[in-house]
Amino acid sequence: MLELSQLTRRFGGPGGRTVLDRVDLRLEAGEYVAIVGESGVGKSTLLNLVAGLDRPDGGTVKLSGTDLSTLDDDGLTRWRRDRLGFVFQAFHVLPHLTLAQNVALPLWLQGQQDASSMRAASEMLAAVGLAGREAGWPRELSGGELQRVAIARALVHKPRLVLADEPTGNLDPHRAGQVLALLRERVRAAGAIGILVTHSHEAAATADRVLRLTGDALVPVTNTQ
Amino acid sequence: MRRALAPVFLGSLGARRLTTLLSILAIALGIALGVAVQVIHDAALDEFDHGMRTLSGEADLQIVGPRGGFDDALFETVALRPEVAAASPLLEVDARLFGDERSLRLIGVDVFRLGEVQPALMPQPGEGQGRLVTLTPDSVFLSPGAMQALGLALGGTLTLQAGLEPLALKVAGGVPGMAGQQVAVMDIDAVQRHFGLRGRLSRIDLRLREGLGLAAGREALAPLMPAGVQLLAPETARAQAAGLSRSYRVNLTMLAVIALVTGGFLVFSTQALSVVRRRTEFAFLRAIGLARGELMRWLLAEGAIVGVVGGLAGVALGYGLAAAALKLLGGDLGAGYFAGISPRLAFEPAVAAVFLVLGVLAGMAGAWLPAREAAEVSPALALKAGGDATGLAGARRHPGWAVGAAALAAVACLAPAWQGIPVGGYVAVALLLAAGVFVLPQLAANLSALLAPLRAVPIALARARLAAVPGHVVVAGAGVLASAALAVAMAIMVASFRDSVDDWLARILPAELYVRGARAGSSGYFDAAAQARIAGTPGVARADFIRHDTVRLSADHPPVMLIARSLSPDGRELPLVGRQVKTSSPVWISEAVADLFGYAPGDTLRLPLAGSPHDFVVAGVWRDYARQSGAIMIPIERYRALSGDPLANDAALHLADGETASAVAARLRERFGAQTLELAQAGEIRAVSLRIFDRTFAVTYLLEAVAVVIGLFGVAASFAALAAARRREFGMLRHIGLTRRQVGLMLATEGALTAGAGALGGLAVGGAISLVLIEVVNRQSFHWSMDIRIPFASLAIFCLTLVLLAALAAVLAGRQAMRQEAVMAVKEDW
Ligand SMILES: Nc1ncnc2c1ncn2[C@@H]1O[C@H](COP(=O)(O)OP(=O)(O)OP(=O)(O)O)[C@@H](O)[C@H]1O
Ligand SMILES: [Mg+2]
């Protein structure tokens, strides 16, 4: 279970701008939500706080009972390594690793042996429709295929929480639809909590629930379109 | 560290093959030089040491005097003392081969006394020769090395020069105990008679009575020693010999360290750039769970790997270099410290390990700052910013640090030498380099401000970029600064040195023609009759005779050269430096004597002459580039009066008007025979000396050239890496309408500004370093001063070339990146 309570973030020191003002959110395991909002409203900021990449000025983030504020930098790093999966707009697939190695990366970070991690990576690659491409290189793939690799990588270590910030921002609508469907399916299969940040209503529509971020709240959006 | 992550990091090393290779090369070069110098020197010193040890054999103590020897009455006194179990007298002569420039170490021994103290020197009669042959005055015994070097065998004839006459000796056997050395042994009586050294000894080796301590023995015997004769433990003599060449070796090693530092800088440049490039990659890795410490360790490991590979290659290369150099130049690399020994190279695991560690340290030191930088970047920020927009946060302007480092350098210069090594000077050099790197961004900013009036867009863009990311200037400019500074420093130092040596030669060689009895030895000399004949040769207006001997001023230092020659009361013939004192009993000391023994003009100096002490007053200090352990000049009339030694080694001939040196030389050869005299015109000696000088420094020029080329490669590599990272920027610029040429101009401006800052900084820092080299390093290692001369023209050309080449490198690197289609570059993500 993920629980944000009274989460607050200001930028620019005292008297600076408050981007997030006492935001609350509760998500149960297996939930898959989309967060939408105007550009600059603080969506990425919120994800960074949830991921422990940034520290809030007030409020707490708890995942399965762990309060992130109690962890130091190394503690947070270990926590991310074990519990989190990421999908980025810029795919961040490392150019000098093979596709399978890229997918296996989270397992390596957990100290898993090469053989088993490579097996898991192959399985994940197959699950995202890239069976048999283990030894291929990132430069041989299209943007959509690269994002599939990123999705495989985000889920290979069975995280409790998957965060995706504009995962389809760099893709055409057709590809985007495929990738989003895949992401949703894989997150479901893993039984993880999924948070998808997006501008696009089509993308948001793939989620169970859609929340709109305003400065101080996450307001549920009823399907208006 | 998780080994599974290795591909993530090592893959990146492989991806930038060229820059990695350059860093490896620079480190390998530094290590190779260091290893070569060390290994060669160790081999030579080992052999030298071994020789000294076999020579002193079982001796507990040695009695040593000046080169001219001491009275052999001392032997009787000492041998009869109850403290002494055995004593063996020796008389050593540097014997010149007749009609040959070479000389041979000839040791006169008492075969009956030898066995108990120096068994290794025992002559071994050849087949069919009786034992008594060792006592015949015309028999000589050669070590295997000497036989080989001279091409002689048993029964052959060795012709030496005694005075001005040939002396034929029969090779009657060998000296098997002296393998590896080139020595001749004969009966001491015969040596005394043949070489005009009746009643003289140069050494007595002693074994003390069983159970008597060294200190007790020394205390009992010391009062018996006449002035100028000293009791030394054999180790002291060895240590003094080793100390002589130490400065030389340390200075060569410093050159190696310089190459290593350049390598470290290069690792720094390439690592820093690669870290900037991989910024988002690291941010991503941190986001998915790579701990900060681990990221840092992996980046250090990248540097360490470059260091290990460079180190291994360097050690191998170093041994190759050493073997080649030993073959070509000998154990002292041609500097003349270890004549007459044939060293063998041995693999020294400890030396190899030390240098390997140094290579790894250089690699890790270069990687340190970039690694820390990378580990400290906030992943959230880096993931958002992406690209190379933000430079090295740590590399801002630090004028205060620069001033601090320079001030510390000044303080370090005040430190005295440590065991003859100018540690403070070297620390100052390092600090000055650091100061230069700190001041780089400021310099670049000032240079960039000079371009402000130029309105062209590409130039404005280049200026804006330099202002926004000063870190890149540091990264790309540091290599240029380091290599330029070292090249400039060496250029100024060598120019000053060469000029001073040239001046000095002119002062020290005032006569037109020089005559020598023998090159180095005491076996050739002019007696009174020969001196008269030389002076009486037609065409000679005046002949000044010169006598060389050594004196021991203290037991802690090697002997000092004593030069007796005709001198004016004010010593105006000498290249004097500093204060002078008027006195009726003057001697002039070289700078080395002033430094090593602490004498100053006006001080009383007690010189042991012919076994008794005489007081002189130091009238002045003169500059001497020839004798590192010091020399004292004394008027020859006074020397003769006090020592009773009428002989001379050299003569300086001033010619009558209208005479040519070659005509007089021909007449001298006619009178003395072509083979006995060594004649040289002042101009020739000067030319030869300068040629040797230039040859010695050719090695350093070569090193400098290599350093500069590596520095330039660094610039090229830096710009190539940056350009690759900036492909998107270039693509965007092309999109909004910059022509290819304009982008090229922008890059050239960036390159020129960066290298310009590096070259300017290098000039300033190099000038300061040259001062340190001249005033501290040379003074403390070799005890000589020099007049400073700055070769302005060549320095200006050098810096200009550097800037142009750097601009070219930047453009070429950029062109590589621009080859990509502009559209692709914008779209592409990495
Ligand atoms: N490190 C920072 N320092 C100062 N201000 C920041 C920082 N990070 C974000 N902001 C500000 O916080 C606000 C929210 O930024 P954020 O990146 O979260 O927006 P977003 O909702 O993700 O927008 P977009 O949809 O365009 O990605 C913006 O106004 C931004 O200027
Ligand atoms: Mg955002």
Side-chain angles (χ1 to χ4, degrees):
Chain A
M1 187 184 68
L2 173 71
E3 191 177 359
L4 316 182
S5 58
Q6 301 288 299
L7 205 56
T8 303
R9 183 72 174 104
R10 288 182 206 95
F11 286 113
R17 204 160 74 80
T18 303
V19 176
L20 298 177
D21 190 8
R22 284 166 295 174
V23 173
D24 292 311
L25 177 67
R26 228 182 117 97
L27 295 176
E28 298 298 333
E31 266 197 276
Y32 185 68
V33 300
I35 295 180
V36 295
E38 296 157 26
S39 188
V41 76
K43 304 183 293 294
S44 299
T45 305
L46 181 70
L47 278 198
N48 284 340
L49 291 174
V50 171
L53 290 169
D54 193 9
R55 298 270 187 188
D57 295 299
T60 54
V61 178
K62 278 190 196 159
L63 181 71
S64 322
T66 308
D67 183 348
L68 296 197
S69 64
T70 62
L71 300 176
D72 63 2
D73 187 69
D74 278 352
L76 277 174
T77 304
R78 267 194 304 278
W79 175 80
R80 279 200 300 272
R81 185 188 290 166
D82 297 338
R83 304 292 172 83
L84 253 59
F86 285 96
V87 183
F88 300 93
Q89 173 173 3
F91 321 121
H92 293 305
V93 176
L94 301 188
H96 45 262
L97 295 186
T98 64
L99 301 184
Q101 284 176 326
N102 263 297
V103 173
L105 203 51
L107 297 174
W108 290 358
L109 283 169
Q110 291 180 352
Q112 273 201 36
Q113 274 308 308
D114 238 9
S116 69
S117 65
M118 293 316 273
R119 217 167 24 247
S122 301
E123 280 163 21
M124 267 332 280
L125 274 175
V128 298
L130 289 169
R133 302 287 290 270
E134 287 85 356
W137 294 97
R139 60 176 173 272
E140 298 157 1
L141 299 194
S142 75
E145 288 169 327
L146 282 174
Q147 200 59 306
R148 286 162 187 265
V149 174
I151 290 171
R153 183 182 60 198
L155 289 153
V156 71
H157 57 304
K158 311 208 162 44
R160 304 311 316 137
L161 175 61
V162 177
L163 304 177
D165 194 349
E166 297 280 3
T168 52
N170 280 358
L171 302 178
D172 65 63
H174 178 63
R175 287 265 155 68
Q178 291 180 337
V179 165
L180 286 167
L182 178 69
L183 180 62
R184 176 199 164 105
E185 177 206 322
R186 296 317 328 162
V187 172
R188 276 263 167 76
I193 300 174
I195 302 181
L196 166 70
V197 164
T198 180
H199 276 131
S200 122
H201 288 287
E202 290 83 17
T206 61
D208 304 336
R209 275 208 281 161
V210 181
L211 303 171
R212 172 174 296 280
L213 181 63
T214 61
D216 51 4
L218 281 161
V219 190
V221 178
T222 40
N223 226 338
T224 57
Q225 230 201 332
Chain B
M1 266 165 55
R2 269 163 255 284
R3 256 189 301 134
L5 289 179
V8 177
F9 293 90
L10 305 195
S12 139
L13 272 185
R16 48 201 160 101
R17 238 163 275 139
L18 181 69
T19 49
T20 304
L21 206 70
L22 274 173
S23 313
I24 289 177
L25 193 74
I27 287 184
L29 208 71
I31 297 283
L33 284 169
V35 166
V37 168
Q38 190 70 35
V39 165
I40 291 175
H41 200 85
D42 282 355
L45 211 57
D46 250 23
E47 194 58 43
F48 187 72
D49 200 45
H50 178 73
M52 295 277 283
R53 211 168 316 148
T54 29
L55 263 180
S56 47
E58 321 270 306
D60 296 321
L61 282 175
Q62 295 182 322
I63 297 175
V64 292
R67 198 165 71 187
F70 51 86
D71 198 321
D72 66 0
L74 182 61
F75 176 70
E76 307 296 334
T77 322
V78 169
L80 290 176
R81 292 289 299 201
E83 295 86 2
V84 174
S88 168
L90 296 176
L91 176 54
E92 225 182 289
V93 172
D94 250 326
R96 186 184 168 191
L97 302 188
F98 191 77
D100 192 328
E101 300 229 321
R102 289 176 296 171
S103 68
L104 181 64
R105 185 168 186 188
L106 177 64
I107 306 175
V109 299
D110 180 340
V111 286
F112 299 111
R113 302 281 190 166
L114 204 53
E116 285 180 77
V117 190
Q118 305 125 323
L121 276 178
M122 186 61 83
Q124 178 103 55
E127 293 278 316
Q129 309 265 10
R131 270 237 67 92
L132 281 183
V133 72
T134 51
L135 295 178
T136 50
D138 58 349
S139 297
V140 70
F141 299 81
L142 297 179
S143 70
M147 290 234 197
Q148 201 185 0
L150 300 173
L152 284 173
L154 206 62
T157 303
L158 172 68
T159 311
L160 299 176
Q161 178 172 341
L164 295 180
E165 303 301 323
L167 169 69
L169 299 170
K170 196 168 124 236
V171 181
V175 190
M178 298 298 290
Q181 309 278 312
Q182 298 178 17
V183 292
V185 169
M186 70 187 285
D187 181 52
I188 192 164
D189 235 32
V191 175
Q192 287 179 335
R193 253 181 297 153
H194 289 315
F195 295 96
L197 292 166
R198 265 174 220 277
R200 311 297 289 169
L201 294 180
S202 47
R203 217 170 83 200
I204 303 172
D205 286 4
L206 301 177
R207 260 186 46 215
L208 296 175
R209 182 163 49 78
E210 207 73 50
L212 185 67
L214 206 61
R218 199 198 286 253
E219 200 171 319
L221 296 174
L224 303 176
M225 299 301 122
V229 177
Q230 267 149 3
L231 261 175
L232 297 180
E235 302 79 55
T236 319
R238 281 207 298 275
Q240 288 178 359
L244 249 189
S245 59
R246 182 172 49 208
S247 314
Y248 183 70
R249 175 186 37 163
V250 167
N251 275 288
L252 277 180
T253 306
M254 280 323 291
L255 281 176
V257 169
I258 284 169
L260 205 58
V261 168
T262 316
F265 265 112
L266 219 56
V267 173
F268 167 70
S269 294
T270 52
Q271 276 300 104
L273 287 164
S274 124
V275 163
V276 170
R277 246 179 111 173
R278 291 185 282 166
R279 218 179 139 80
T280 43
E281 186 178 318
F282 295 152
F284 155 73
L285 285 169
R286 292 269 294 116
I288 69 166
L290 181 68
R292 183 170 295 215
E294 202 170 356
L295 173 61
M296 171 121 186
R297 280 194 294 280
W298 269 109
L299 289 178
L300 281 180
E302 286 185 8
I305 282 176
V306 170
V308 168
V309 177
L312 284 176
V315 168
L317 190 64
Y319 271 92
L321 269 180
L326 269 185
K327 245 200 189 110
L328 294 176
L329 300 172
D332 49 10
L333 304 176
Y337 294 110
F338 300 116
I341 59 173
S342 9
R344 269 178 314 271
L345 219 52
F347 181 71
E348 298 172 72
V351 172
V354 165
F355 275 96
L356 197 58
V357 169
L358 278 180
V360 174
L361 284 182
M364 287 177 68
W368 176 265
L369 270 183
R372 218 189 53 181
E373 166 86 20
E376 264 161 26
V377 164
S378 139
L381 265 184
L383 279 173
K384 180 163 69 183
D388 63 336
T390 37
L392 289 170
R396 302 230 171 70
R397 294 181 195 176
H398 293 301
W401 292 17
V403 172
L408 277 180
V411 173
C413 284
L414 299 177
W418 176 77
Q419 300 201 344
I421 300 171
V423 178
Y426 292 132
V427 170
V429 169
L431 283 169
L432 284 171
L433 276 178
V437 173
F438 289 136
V439 89
L440 256 184
Q442 186 64 50
L443 268 177
N446 292 353
L447 268 186
S448 167
L450 288 182
L451 294 186
L454 297 179
R455 292 249 169 269
V457 174
I459 292 177
L461 281 173
R463 291 186 50 226
R465 186 181 159 78
L466 284 192
V469 278
H472 289 172
V473 178
V474 173
V475 171
V480 178
L481 182 130
S483 53
L486 297 167
V488 166
M490 286 303 284
I492 295 180
M493 201 271 274
V494 172
S496 306
F497 198 4
R498 196 179 190 285
D499 250 32
S500 303
V501 166
D502 199 5
D503 256 18
W504 174 78
L505 283 168
R507 293 296 300 274
I508 212 91
L509 301 170
E512 287 99 326
L513 188 61
Y514 285 81
V515 190
R516 231 171 219 197
R519 176 166 292 257
S522 43
S523 88
Y525 51 81
F526 307 126
D527 55 18
Q531 290 175 35
R533 278 169 72 201
I534 291 174
T537 304
V540 175
R542 195 178 97 221
D544 290 335
F545 290 95
I546 303 164
R547 179 62 170 157
H548 296 293
D549 199 354
T550 58
V551 287
R552 289 182 173 267
L553 294 181
S554 103
D556 308 330
H557 290 98
V560 169
M561 185 70 70
L562 183 67
I563 304 171
R565 53 173 275 194
S566 65
L567 288 161
S568 317
D570 59 357
R572 82 175 85 93
E573 296 85 354
L574 298 173
L576 293 173
V577 287
R579 201 158 63 85
Q580 293 162 42
V581 170
K582 270 205 177 2
T583 160
S584 56
S585 53
V587 287
W588 288 267
I589 60 177
S590 72
E591 289 174 314
V593 174
D595 277 11
L596 292 171
F597 299 92
Y599 287 113
D603 290 355
T604 302
L605 193 159
R606 178 163 293 187
L607 274 183
L609 291 175
S612 25
H614 299 277
D615 281 347
F616 293 87
V617 174
V618 176
V621 177
W622 56 288
R623 193 176 269 176
D624 184 15
Y625 291 124
R627 285 148 289 240
Q628 219 178 300
S629 32
I632 300 176
M633 288 270 189
I634 176 173
I636 192 160
E637 309 78 34
R638 196 134 158 89
Y639 169 79
R640 287 185 168 163
L642 293 174
S643 69
D645 169 15
L647 304 180
N649 299 85
D650 298 346
L653 305 185
H654 299 266
L655 306 183
D657 283 342
E659 289 287 352
T660 64
S662 45
V664 175
R667 253 170 259 152
L668 279 166
R669 282 208 189 86
E670 213 169 284
R671 288 192 150 200
F672 289 90
Q675 299 195 310
T676 27
L677 293 185
E678 208 179 296
L679 295 163
Q681 299 178 20
E684 280 167 21
I685 300 180
R686 221 166 119 177
V688 168
S689 304
L690 286 177
R691 203 154 56 229
I692 293 174
F693 180 95
D694 289 340
R695 200 175 57 205
T696 310
F697 279 97
V699 180
T700 58
Y701 286 133
L702 193 74
L703 279 177
E704 269 173 52
V706 171
V708 169
V709 168
I710 290 180
L712 273 177
F713 267 125
V715 176
S718 317
F719 272 92
L722 274 180
R726 292 167 67 190
R727 275 206 312 243
R728 258 184 296 181
E729 179 191 334
F730 297 158
M732 183 272 294
L733 288 175
R734 299 270 290 116
H735 266 284
I736 62 171
L738 252 69
T739 65
R740 229 166 244 278
R741 284 196 42 187
Q742 280 175 313
V743 177
L745 178 59
M746 175 184 88
L747 283 171
T749 312
E750 285 180 21
L753 278 177
T754 306
L760 266 187
L763 268 181
V765 171
I769 291 180
S770 76
L771 275 183
V772 174
L773 288 180
I774 291 172
E775 298 293 342
V776 181
V777 173
N778 264 283
R779 185 75 210 207
Q780 290 183 0
S781 351
F782 301 111
H783 310 292
W784 54 49
S785 65
M786 45 187 105
D787 304 320
I788 292 166
R789 217 209 82 184
I790 302 175
F792 286 105
S794 36
L795 287 186
I797 292 174
F798 169 76
C799 287
L800 214 63
T801 316
L802 204 59
V803 172
L804 288 179
L805 284 176
L808 186 71
V811 173
L812 288 181
R815 185 159 302 166
Q816 177 77 18
M818 277 189 293
R819 218 183 290 151
Q820 208 93 32
E821 273 310 305
V823 185
M824 274 284 292
V826 186
K827 201 172 131 196
E828 218 183 320
D829 202 43
W830 27 257

